[in-house]
Amino acid sequence: GKRIVYIKYQIFAMYKADDDLEMTMVCHRPEGLDQLEAQTNFSKRELQVLYRGFKNECPSGVVNEETFKQIYSQFFPHGDASTYAHYLFNAFDTGHSGSIKFEDFVTALSILLRGTVTEKLQWTFNLYDINRDGYINKEEMTDIVRAIYDMMGKYTYPVLKHDAPKQHVDAFFQKMDKNRDGVVTLDEFILSCQEDENIMRSLQLFENVI
């Protein structure tokens, strides 16, 4: 898990800013590192190192969705990562600004690397809650799982049938939807994942999150 997270952090180290993008984007300076240190699980020294790397590779100080997709796709050359990257981008872009700032990046990284299990599950719930209504329905879960399957590509899952993601979701949704009302709440999601390690592993909650 940590190895994968570290490798995927290199996403940002692989990004070379596009000149046109740089010219059209307003440069963004992050909030004071003192404030970010208080809000995250990183020390000021770690934040300085992260910011140097982020700023070096993203001189404009922000990453838009198209660039994020290009970066992410380099990790999954045998699959199509664009749909998953779209959902992931929205989870990082908590302010719905259409771009990921350094603050967004380190806040998410802090949770995913050093957060409690509950914090990680809350973050993942938000990823799956595509329309942000506070619930996960079966369609949303299917969309995310299908996006993960598409991203991993045919080399990872050579024998999967087209309906495999749906079957996958049907089984887990039934376990998660404790009161059978057709939606999964945050409490149901956390409880189910903590009760059943197979759910966490099968939905690949942390391995593919970043």
Side-chain angles (χ1 to χ4, degrees):
K2 283 193 175 175
R3 183 181 60 80
I4 291 172
V5 165
Y6 176 75
I7 290 169
K8 290 184 182 177
Y9 167 62
Q10 299 304 310
I11 290 170
F12 289 91
M14 292 161 69
Y15 168 54
K16 292 285 171 273
D18 180 274
D19 287 341
D20 296 336
L21 180 71
E22 231 180 304
M23 287 171 69
T24 57
M25 293 190 95
V26 179
C27 282
H28 173 79
R29 293 187 63 78
E31 300 161 14
L33 292 185
D34 286 337
Q35 193 175 340
L36 284 175
E37 185 183 14
Q39 291 168 348
T40 67
N41 297 315
F42 295 121
S43 67
K44 190 183 284 191
R45 174 84 189 117
E46 288 171 322
L47 286 166
Q48 286 169 339
V49 171
L50 284 168
Y51 181 61
R52 199 172 300 130
F54 188 88
K55 186 70 174 165
N56 190 40
E57 306 303 338
C58 312
S60 62
V62 291
V63 179
N64 69 2
E65 183 173 344
E66 206 46 52
T67 305
F68 188 81
K69 285 180 179 178
Q70 288 167 11
I71 295 165
Y72 212 75
S73 68
Q74 294 176 61
F75 276 101
F76 302 96
H78 302 305
D80 178 2
S82 60
T83 306
Y84 186 74
H86 165 73
Y87 295 136
L88 190 62
F89 180 87
N90 288 340
F92 270 80
D93 179 19
T94 51
H96 322 310
S97 65
S99 59
I100 297 172
K101 302 185 292 293
F102 179 68
E103 296 94 315
D104 301 325
F105 172 60
V106 291
T107 300
L109 208 62
S110 170
I111 292 168
L112 293 164
L113 289 179
R114 298 194 179 159
T116 63
V117 170
T118 301
E119 285 170 338
K120 290 175 181 178
L121 287 173
Q122 285 173 333
W123 196 93
T124 308
F125 179 89
N126 291 333
L127 170 69
Y128 277 72
D129 178 18
I130 296 170
N131 67 4
R132 302 180 195 253
D133 66 352
Y135 303 97
I136 300 173
N137 61 39
K138 196 180 283 189
E139 290 73 27
E140 288 174 319
M141 193 177 285
T142 305
D143 286 346
I144 297 276
V145 172
R146 180 165 279 125
I148 290 173
Y149 277 56
D150 289 345
M151 175 175 69
M152 301 311 282
K154 59 180 181 290
Y155 293 96
T156 312
Y157 297 116
V159 293
L160 276 188
K161 300 182 183 68
H162 176 70
D163 62 349
K166 184 180 180 305
Q167 292 172 351
H168 194 136
V169 168
D170 283 347
F172 287 121
F173 200 86
Q174 198 171 347
K175 286 186 184 177
M176 286 187 170
D177 183 13
K178 305 278 188 197
N179 64 357
R180 302 283 181 268
D181 64 350
V183 292
V184 173
T185 63
L186 176 61
D187 288 343
E188 287 176 326
F189 185 79
I190 290 174
L191 189 61
S192 301
C193 289
Q194 288 176 337
E195 278 178 352
D196 189 341
E197 281 185 17
N198 287 331
I199 293 181
M200 221 180 293
R201 200 160 42 238
S202 265
L203 290 179
Q204 294 168 299
L205 294 181
F206 303 144
E207 298 299 284
N208 287 309
V209 159
I210 69 166

